[in-house]
Amino acid sequence: MGFYDSIEVSASGLTADRLNMDVIANNIANANTTRTPQGGAFKRQLLIMAQKAAAPGDDGANGNTNGVEVQGIVSDQSPDRLVYNPSHPDADAQGYVHMPNVEVVKEMVDMIAASQAYQANVTAIQEARALSSQSMNILQG
């Protein structure tokens, strides 16, 4: 794995982690949204990530990985939270409101993990740069 390969892997991680934080922020922002354009309560969104496919002509035998890519964003199909509030405009006939399946505490934990993964990728890029710079100094000296 060369210098640019390591930066490419970390850069793909930065992109995926940033999108993950955006998805989590959207979940938190919609934690109380009971009515969406599609109808019903907001559904928590999840990011699907996978290892990038090998580059054309690379059979993967050399151990190179090309980082991570986002496969898509899907809705969490877990059931809505039911809250008894008969005076709410979105209450059903029994007085229950279908609230989003978003747990703010869980989202905050996920946000911390995504933030730490982002910082780890930044650190990896900084270290790769520092190693490259030290190698150049050795070759010049």
Side-chain angles (χ1 to χ4, degrees):
M1 178 179 276
F3 168 70
Y4 291 110
D5 293 333
S6 63
I7 290 181
E8 180 183 343
V9 169
S10 293
S12 70
L14 287 174
T15 302
D17 292 333
R18 175 61 192 187
L19 181 57
N20 194 22
M21 287 188 281
D22 289 344
V23 169
I24 293 167
N26 185 52
N27 288 342
I28 293 170
N30 286 291
N32 292 316
T33 302
T34 58
R35 190 179 306 167
T36 63
Q38 297 81 18
F42 175 81
K43 291 289 188 185
R44 176 178 185 241
Q45 303 294 300
L46 302 168
L47 195 68
I48 305 298
M49 292 186 261
Q51 181 178 344
K52 278 187 180 177
D58 184 5
D59 62 0
N62 57 6
N64 285 348
T65 57
N66 298 321
V68 66
E69 67 182 355
V70 174
Q71 297 288 310
I73 300 172
V74 297
S75 294
D76 181 355
Q77 295 304 314
S78 62
D80 297 339
R81 290 182 297 123
L82 293 177
V83 175
Y84 184 74
N85 185 356
S87 63
H88 193 282
D90 292 327
D92 62 15
Q94 290 80 28
Y96 287 96
V97 179
H98 288 260
M99 299 297 289
N101 58 352
V102 175
E103 296 177 38
V104 176
V105 173
K106 181 176 181 0
E107 297 299 324
M108 292 304 296
V109 169
D110 290 347
M111 181 70 82
I112 291 168
S115 176
Q116 289 175 341
Y118 188 91
Q119 184 58 45
N121 282 308
V122 168
T123 301
I125 290 172
Q126 290 171 338
E127 289 300 318
R129 266 188 39 198
L131 285 172
S132 175
S133 178
Q134 288 174 356
S135 298
M136 294 299 256
N137 289 340
I138 290 171
L139 292 173
Q140 290 175 354

